[in-house]
Amino acid sequence: MVESFGYIAVQPDWTIDVKNALDKAEGTHKFWVSAYKQGCESIHDSAEASAGSAATSGGATLVSLNMVSGSSDIVAEYIGPKQLRLSSRRLGIPPSLYTAAAKAVTCSHIARGTGVRSFDVSRYGGLLVACGDDGVMDVYDTDEGTHRVRLDGHLGDVTCCQFFPSGQVVLSGATDMRLKVWSASDGTNPVTLVGHTAPITDTAIVGVGKNVMSAAKDGTVRLWHCGSAALLHTFELSEQPVNKIELVSRSEQDISSSAYQQQQQQKDRENESETSGKLVAVACEDGRALLLDLYTRETVAEFGSIGDPPVRAISYDAAREIVFAGLSNGTVNVWSIAHPSAPVYAFKRGDTSPVSAVRLVRTSAGDPLLCVGSEDGQLFLVAFSLAAGGTVASAEVVEDLVAFDIDPIGQIRVTPSTKKSATRQSVWATGQCSRVCEF
């Protein structure tokens, strides 16, 4: 059974009206708010912001939010200049945070008429690399928004790009079926990896980056050695595209098992570095989600069946041995290695807009949240509570990240937060416009 969450959508630039209210600018300051739940009549209203007469103990001005209709049953509460709390009693939508972007980097060199197709940020968010549909990438400084260097050399559209852990080297894949390694400093391309027979769809970097991985529409996932540009292994998985991959480390408990250690010691391969203890989560267009052991080359688990709705996004929680698979029909399936025959839980939000991205986000206490992006522009965080045996006891949407209207969420990245007061890691996302936003 798929649980359907109701949700509230808010005008993406609501912070402008709140700021105008704080500044006591002339005129009314209103932004639209709408509530939706499957099987129920939608609610549409506007919230009017006005500066309150009181102030907080810290001296900050309060903002009052009043629904214009007075009868919509949507409750809006001002938390801060970039955060609201919204709920609807009639639709059973509990109070949830709505957070505006803390930073937006405009990718000024993205060609007119195309948005950001893929991007990545360096570990602490200092540099950003982004590509559109014009076959090139550009590196930007995220603090100043200045352009640093252009990476130009693919013979087709760039489909994916990411930084190596150093933050000074970039890996990219494209429709020309090639992967390239670039210097983020001067734009040179010392290594090109050739072997796929269809466009690249995703990449992953193993450890410090001596080895990298790629997925493609040829149905394979491949392991490469950057130093020699050699193909080390091909996982032949499907007759249909592999859409996404995620590389994660096994849990400490899993790695410490004597049987697993003995299995690893039996193999010593040339040109492989840091592949031991790594798992690859794979999203297949044919409807399956797979979990592969990168070192042993074995399939650890297979979820779903060929012919099921295509899996468009995937993330793996190694500590809880849970796979999150985002589907083309808008559902997120939650699979447990302990119970691989059927999802232990499934949810969706709204109607049938495909899930385009999922990514695990850690709270400051180390607890996992799942960030979900969809093709209708929704971007939100879900918290899960697991019962004994790996089943999901409950789930709730705890935060919406607001910056995009109906732009499809093209990519989600996660970095450590640099703010002392942060309650979770920083989430970066793009809605296939010219901006990449940090929340």
Side-chain angles (χ1 to χ4, degrees), residues 249-253 316-322 360 362 368:
S249 296
R250 284 181 176 268
S251 65
E252 293 183 4
Q253 180 180 356
Y316 179 60
D317 182 350
R320 300 193 294 184
E321 297 188 327
I322 294 290
L360 279 178
R362 297 287 173 181

Side-chain angles (χ1 to χ4, degrees), residues 331-360:
T331 300
V332 175
N333 280 341
V334 184
W335 298 90
S336 169
I337 290 182
H339 306 280
S341 59
V344 295
Y345 183 71
F347 71 90
K348 67 188 309 181
R349 204 179 190 211
D351 295 325
T352 58
S353 183
V355 175
S356 52
V358 294
R359 182 74 64 171
L360 279 178

Side-chain angles (χ1 to χ4, degrees), residues 87-430:
S87 62
S88 171
R89 287 186 293 269
R90 189 193 309 172
L91 298 188
I93 302 173
S96 179
L97 293 176
Y98 286 71
T99 304
K103 178 189 295 184
V105 181
T106 299
C107 300
S108 56
H109 284 59
I110 294 290
R112 184 183 297 274
T114 181
V116 175
R117 184 166 185 169
S118 179
F119 78 93
D120 195 17
V121 288
S122 56
R123 179 170 173 77
Y124 290 98
L127 293 179
L128 179 146
V129 60
C131 63
D133 289 332
D134 50 1
V136 298
M137 294 163 287
D138 292 280
V139 178
Y140 302 86
D141 182 290
T142 59
D143 289 330
E144 303 295 332
T146 53
H147 182 260
R148 298 281 290 267
V149 68
R150 168 154 286 195
L151 313 179
D152 187 357
H154 276 292
L155 303 177
D157 293 343
V158 180
T159 55
C160 47
C161 56
Q162 70 178 115
F163 280 105
F164 281 69
S166 67
Q168 299 300 313
V169 182
V170 172
L171 174 67
S172 64
T175 58
D176 62 7
M177 302 176 287
R178 290 168 166 80
L179 294 104
K180 287 181 176 289
V181 178
W182 309 82
S183 166
S185 301
D186 60 18
T188 55
N189 167 218
V191 178
T192 298
L193 306 175
V194 181
H196 279 290
T197 59
I200 310 296
T201 56
D202 204 4
T203 58
I205 295 172
V206 184
V208 298
K210 292 182 179 180
N211 297 119
V212 299
M213 301 194 70
S214 58
K217 289 187 176 182
D218 59 14
T220 69
V221 171
R222 304 190 185 214
L223 175 66
W224 309 82
H225 178 244
C226 291
S228 61
L231 174 62
L232 302 183
H233 184 72
T234 299
F235 293 92
E236 296 184 358
L237 303 176
S238 176
E239 295 181 357
Q240 297 185 51
V242 174
N243 293 320
K244 294 289 181 182
I245 54 174
E246 183 183 55
L247 183 66
V248 295
S249 296
R250 284 181 176 268
S251 65
E252 293 183 4
Q253 180 180 356
D254 199 2
I255 291 176
S256 64
S257 69
S258 58
Y260 182 78
Q261 289 181 344
Q262 290 173 5
Q263 193 177 41
Q264 302 296 287
Q265 291 169 1
Q266 293 174 0
K267 301 179 178 67
D268 182 20
R269 301 191 184 95
E270 186 180 1
N271 292 333
E272 281 196 33
S273 177
E274 300 179 87
T275 57
S276 178
K278 299 295 193 302
L279 297 174
V280 187
V282 183
C284 298
E285 183 70 12
D286 66 18
R288 295 175 301 150
L290 305 174
L291 202 58
L292 312 174
D293 188 305
L294 181 56
Y295 191 80
T296 66
R297 318 299 202 226
E298 296 175 352
T299 299
V300 176
E302 180 176 327
F303 309 101
S305 303
I306 294 176
D308 287 350
V311 183
R312 297 290 170 78
I314 197 160
S315 194
Y316 179 60
D317 182 350
R320 300 193 294 184
E321 297 188 327
I322 294 290
V323 171
F324 301 96
L327 309 184
S328 63
N329 64 3
T331 300
V332 175
N333 280 341
V334 184
W335 298 90
S336 169
I337 290 182
H339 306 280
S341 59
V344 295
Y345 183 71
F347 71 90
K348 67 188 309 181
R349 204 179 190 211
D351 295 325
T352 58
S353 183
V355 175
S356 52
V358 294
R359 182 74 64 171
L360 279 178
V361 178
R362 297 287 173 181
T363 68
S364 54
D367 298 321
L369 303 171
L370 184 70
C371 188
V372 181
S374 63
E375 290 194 4
D376 61 0
Q378 294 188 63
L379 185 65
F380 56 95
L381 293 164
V382 181
F384 296 90
S385 175
L386 295 187
T391 59
V392 174
S394 63
E396 62 174 333
V397 177
V398 294
E399 187 176 2
D400 273 74
L401 308 179
V402 184
F404 313 107
D405 194 355
I406 56 174
D407 302 308
I409 303 301
Q411 188 105 54
I412 299 171
R413 301 291 192 185
V414 177
T415 62
S417 177
T418 57
K419 296 182 179 179
K420 293 182 179 180
S421 59
T423 58
R424 56 164 172 75
Q425 294 174 306
S426 289
V427 175
W428 297 73
T430 183

Side-chain angles (χ1 to χ4, degrees), residues 54-62:
T56 66
S57 59
T61 304
L62 294 173

